[in-house]
Amino acid sequence: MRLKRTHTCGELTAEHINQEVILNGWIATNRDHGGLIFIDLRDRYGKTQVTFSPEKVPEIAADAKRLGLEDVIAVKGVVSPRPKGNINSKMSTGEIELDVTELEVLSESAPLPFLVSNRESGSEELRLEYRYLELRTAEIQRSLAIRHKTYQATRSYLAERNFIEVETPVLMKSTPEGARDYLVPSRLHKGRFYALPQSPQTYKQLLMIGGFDRYFQIVKCFRDEDLRADRQPEFTQIDIEMSFVDQDDVLNLAQGLTRSIFKRVRGEELPEEFPRMSYQEAMETYGSDKPDVRFEMQLREFADFASESQFEGFKSVLANGGRVKAIVAENLADKYSRKVIDGLTDWVKTYYGVKGLAFMKAENGGLSGGISKFFTDEQLASIRKRWDVADNDILFFVADEDGERALQTLGALRLEIARRENLIPENIFKPLFVLDFPLLEFGPDAGRYVARHHPFTSPQLEDVPLMESDPAKVRARAYDLVINGYEVAGGSIRIHQQAMQQQMFKLLGMSAEEAERRFGFLLKAFQYGAPPHGGIAFGFDRLIMLLSGTENIRDVIAFPKTTSAMSLMDEAPSFVDEKQLKELHIRLSEDVKPAAE
RNA sequence: GGGACCGUAGUUCAGCUUGGUUAGAACGCCAGCCUGUCACGUUGGAGGUCGCGGGUUCGAGCCCCGUCGGUCCCGCCA
């Protein structure tokens, strides 16, 4: 190129007037007035208006007429003040313009599938196909810049505190516990496969045994599971592990890191001490293990009222060990007609599998409608009093013999109503730690207990005796960091003693032989002096979502995949040549062959 | 694995309820006019495999079945 930029498109101001400069960039808009042509030239740093005057430079102005959106050009000219009344206060460069004397067309753009100036002008499907164009949009430029700042903030915070960044393998041993693995066939070892890491869990523990007492890594993880708005098949974690620590040390570190990131990236002051809440309390008051505490509408216990009522549905649920809880949605009774309530009822039935949704409305100082007829006036009055119910509030009730399901359903309803009614304040951040997760849960499919976090999670010491008598009651030394209803980080103190690890495997129904086959390398390492250790992993993408204010994980990843794990731009995954398969000792089954050919 | 919504011009959408002459609009694109615009204005023009396959019908963008793709949710995600 002949004309190399001397400045970016975002930096010229009145101070540069009369200087001769060169700008390079993309054409954001062009406004051809016949006698005078305006082009807004754009790069990552901003936009600058450049003008072509047919009077002064007739040949160049004639060339400029042929330019189109997103052509890449270089222009040389003199920085000039805009005439009075033509200053654009919306642009940082709005006081000046570039009076062009030379033009070099570096590259022309084909007609655009959507407008770079307006992301809404194309469907997400189309934008993903032309992701490189979407990367030019202000939104994606901004969120990737936030992502970059967050990498920097993370590295400097941790490095300043003696953490050492270590890379762990991407090709590793498959450990079929947890999510499905992405597998990579081995050419050299017939019939064998590597797995891509679901997380560097085992490696970080081995690093502790290896004496790297404070480790971190910003690392890609891979899970072959179905996707959601906040889940991608490959995603990034800030992985952290520490030796000679207890739970509070890890939480304080995570808290400090989070505060530092929000401060440095957004200028946002998070509380010095994040609130801490037990898993049990989170479930009881919010119906979720990742409560959004930006708004109230907490779950209320209804068992005592229900058991004294005439409502057999609730009474039989309670008699069978179930739960009945309620929420009070303030000032919505008039808005929630029978039809709206029926809609919500269908919604909870369909998605959460409960039998129904009960309600009452508060009016004229009492409670009426719905299930109110099963209660005496005295009972209704005392419900209103205990919950401080005001006229026009509406009360929703969910009962289920599976108590956890009742809580989760009501928690989901709480969120749904809050979203519909815009009860969730934006641009505020409410972090909290959720603690004391159960170590195990009964897996109906497996017919045994499965680790809720992972099989290396330490039980709380006082609960160890329960491992024999009542495993479901054992609490783990596991914790999550939740912000605005997103699980942003999760971790645990690990088991570092062989005997305990073996007991854990036994509880999980894993024989000594099986444990040896799957995790033998780790168990062996534990024989050579394992320090007590624990850690935490941040979902980096979700953190960026919060920092940049989006609810779509694809907005914060440069080249994301669709909800069916396809990359629309390069069409991955793709079929491969027979020759490649042969080298890998792989033969496709008959039913997929026609598609491959 | 299951459910809901969506797929029509380069793009965003309307048309589908109630099948019927030539499938419309806006933006973009092309050509012209325009010296102070910044969502420039203005005149004209081109542009359609109605995702794909099958069925019903005299006749299908519209109804039915299947399929592919997108989004959101349940299951799943230690």
Side-chain angles (χ1 to χ4, degrees):
Chain A
M1 62 188 291
R2 192 163 51 84
L3 300 175
K4 231 169 160 176
R5 67 181 171 189
T6 58
H7 295 75
T8 69
C9 296
E11 65 178 304
L12 296 176
T13 62
E15 287 176 26
H16 300 85
I17 284 169
N18 290 329
Q19 289 183 26
E20 186 175 70
V21 302
I22 299 173
L23 296 181
N24 297 161
W26 286 262
I27 296 180
T29 52
N30 52 357
R31 297 176 292 279
D32 179 358
H33 285 235
L36 189 63
I37 299 160
F38 299 97
I39 283 176
D40 290 344
L41 201 61
R42 185 200 68 238
D43 63 15
R44 183 150 80 80
Y45 309 92
K47 281 191 247 180
T48 303
Q49 173 165 285
V50 302
T51 59
F52 297 81
S53 164
E55 249 173 31
K56 295 184 207 161
V57 285
E59 302 86 10
I60 291 168
D63 288 343
K65 272 187 190 302
R66 282 192 288 275
L67 295 171
L69 292 182
E70 299 303 316
D71 289 348
V72 185
I73 63 170
V75 287
K76 187 176 187 177
V78 178
V79 180
S80 312
R82 294 199 190 182
K84 280 212 172 67
N86 286 308
I87 287 170
N88 186 340
S89 56
K90 284 186 236 160
M91 292 170 81
S92 65
T93 61
E95 282 185 70
I96 56 91
E97 61 195 6
L98 191 69
D99 209 353
V100 174
T101 54
E102 282 184 57
L103 166 69
E104 183 181 2
V105 179
L106 301 173
S107 169
E108 288 179 36
S109 170
L112 297 164
F114 59 92
L115 293 177
V116 169
S117 56
N118 176 13
R119 204 159 153 246
E120 303 297 306
S121 68
S123 66
E124 182 160 20
E125 191 173 356
L126 193 73
R127 299 196 310 263
L128 287 173
E129 186 184 342
Y130 296 92
R131 183 64 169 182
Y132 39 85
L133 288 179
E134 190 177 21
L135 291 177
R136 292 181 198 164
T137 62
E139 290 95 328
I140 304 290
Q141 297 247 327
R142 176 175 164 270
S143 61
L144 291 186
I146 288 171
R147 196 176 172 111
H148 163 78
K149 279 191 201 163
T150 310
Y151 294 133
Q152 301 305 314
T154 301
R155 289 204 162 97
S156 77
Y157 184 89
L158 292 173
E160 281 163 16
R161 283 159 185 77
N162 257 331
F163 283 81
I164 179 166
E165 185 169 4
V166 181
E167 287 183 81
T168 52
V170 170
L171 296 176
M172 64 177 286
K173 179 186 168 85
S174 174
T175 52
E177 185 86 11
R180 268 186 286 268
D181 283 326
Y182 275 98
L183 292 176
V184 180
S186 163
R187 176 178 58 87
L188 297 173
H189 302 278
K190 291 181 191 177
R192 298 196 194 198
F193 294 82
Y194 301 96
L196 304 182
Q198 297 169 26
S199 83
Q201 182 60 37
T202 50
Y203 291 113
K204 68 173 169 178
Q205 293 193 247
L206 291 161
L207 283 168
M208 293 304 108
I209 295 169
F212 289 94
D213 65 324
R214 299 188 134 208
Y215 140 91
F216 85 100
Q217 184 181 192
I218 298 176
V219 61
K220 273 287 180 77
C221 303
F222 306 84
R223 292 179 191 173
D224 188 3
E225 295 293 344
D226 290 343
L227 305 174
R228 288 287 189 285
D230 64 347
R231 278 195 230 154
Q232 282 273 297
E234 51 177 309
F235 60 98
T236 303
Q237 284 188 346
I238 306 170
D239 195 44
I240 295 171
E241 195 77 6
M242 306 158 79
S243 291
F244 312 117
V245 292
D246 57 29
Q247 178 167 299
D248 273 351
D249 296 309
V250 180
L251 296 186
N252 287 335
L253 186 275
Q255 180 174 280
L257 173 60
T258 307
R259 279 169 46 80
S260 172
I261 288 171
F262 272 78
K263 176 75 182 164
R264 289 182 58 168
V265 175
R266 272 189 73 105
E268 187 86 31
E269 290 285 354
L270 295 184
E272 257 174 64
E273 292 286 332
F274 296 176
R276 299 179 182 193
M277 184 185 291
S278 71
Y279 167 82
Q280 195 188 347
E281 187 186 350
M283 291 304 296
E284 288 293 333
T285 54
Y286 296 99
S288 169
D289 62 359
K290 43 178 181 169
D292 189 338
V293 296
R294 286 175 296 174
F295 65 102
E296 296 288 324
M297 216 198 294
Q298 295 177 355
L299 276 54
R300 325 270 182 146
E301 183 57 57
F302 197 61
D304 54 337
F305 288 120
S307 62
E308 288 163 13
S309 75
Q310 302 301 310
F311 189 26
E312 292 308 321
F314 280 4
K315 289 170 84 167
S316 77
V317 162
L318 289 171
N320 288 308
R323 302 290 306 273
V324 186
K325 297 216 40 158
I327 53 172
V328 179
E330 290 175 14
N331 202 27
L332 287 171
D334 54 347
K335 208 171 162 185
Y336 278 52
S337 62
R338 186 77 223 187
K339 198 176 162 190
V340 175
I341 294 169
D342 283 348
L344 283 174
T345 305
D346 284 347
W347 182 78
V348 296
K349 280 182 175 170
T350 311
Y351 289 130
Y352 299 94
V354 293
K355 293 211 179 66
L357 178 64
F359 73 96
M360 294 186 211
K361 288 179 173 182
E363 47 194 12
N364 305 322
L367 288 166
S368 55
I371 58 168
S372 62
K373 62 188 170 195
F374 298 110
F375 298 82
T376 64
D377 287 347
E378 291 74 40
Q379 287 170 332
L380 294 175
S382 80
I383 293 169
R384 276 196 69 137
K385 194 172 169 208
R386 187 194 291 178
W387 292 348
D388 200 19
V389 174
D391 270 355
N392 205 34
D393 289 353
I394 181 165
L395 284 56
F396 287 106
F397 305 85
V398 171
D400 203 276
E401 289 178 13
D402 178 344
E404 193 161 323
R405 176 151 64 192
L407 298 177
Q408 283 175 355
T409 303
L410 212 46
L413 183 67
R414 169 181 176 269
L415 268 181
E416 177 65 18
I417 291 172
R419 286 198 191 110
R420 289 187 186 195
E421 305 304 330
N422 279 320
L423 302 178
I424 307 176
E426 284 173 29
N427 292 318
I428 68 163
F429 297 94
K430 291 274 193 181
L432 77 155
F433 285 113
V434 179
L435 311 174
D436 306 334
F437 280 86
L439 182 68
L440 304 160
E441 60 193 345
F442 193 77
D445 294 343
R448 60 174 176 84
Y449 285 104
V450 296
R452 187 166 175 120
H453 186 55
H454 57 58
F456 314 109
T457 302
S458 169
Q460 297 197 3
L461 300 181
E462 59 191 280
D463 290 352
V464 168
L466 293 169
M467 288 178 78
E468 299 288 338
S469 55
D470 194 355
K473 283 233 167 68
V474 177
R475 290 166 302 167
R477 289 202 271 176
Y479 33 79
D480 280 354
L481 170 60
V482 175
I483 304 179
N484 294 1
Y486 284 97
E487 183 194 323
V488 165
S492 62
I493 299 298
R494 328 297 181 188
I495 299 168
H496 71 283
Q497 286 157 325
Q498 268 194 87
M500 176 63 75
Q501 187 66 64
Q502 275 158 8
Q503 191 181 359
M504 183 72 178
F505 282 141
K506 200 173 142 198
L507 259 179
L508 296 173
M510 209 184 292
S511 67
E513 296 73 39
E514 196 179 358
E516 179 60 30
R517 185 168 52 78
R518 289 190 185 182
F519 301 110
F521 62 102
L522 189 62
L523 296 175
K524 189 169 167 189
F526 280 139
Q527 297 175 5
Y528 292 92
H533 61 285
I536 193 164
F538 284 72
F540 192 76
D541 310 278
R542 284 183 193 163
L543 191 59
I544 309 303
M545 287 168 68
L546 284 166
L547 289 164
S548 57
T550 177
E551 294 187 348
N552 181 343
I553 196 170
R554 294 177 297 276
D555 286 350
V556 301
I557 294 175
F559 298 101
K561 293 182 175 59
T562 66
T563 45
S564 73
M566 290 242 297
S567 170
L568 295 179
M569 188 184 66
D570 55 19
E571 294 185 306
S574 63
F575 294 108
V576 299
D577 292 342
E578 191 60 36
K579 180 166 170 273
Q580 279 178 286
L581 289 176
K582 211 167 174 181
E583 276 184 339
L584 296 168
H585 325 289
I586 286 177
R587 200 159 44 227
L588 298 181
S589 63
E590 293 301 322
D591 53 331
V592 301
K593 271 188 175 170
E597 280 156 6

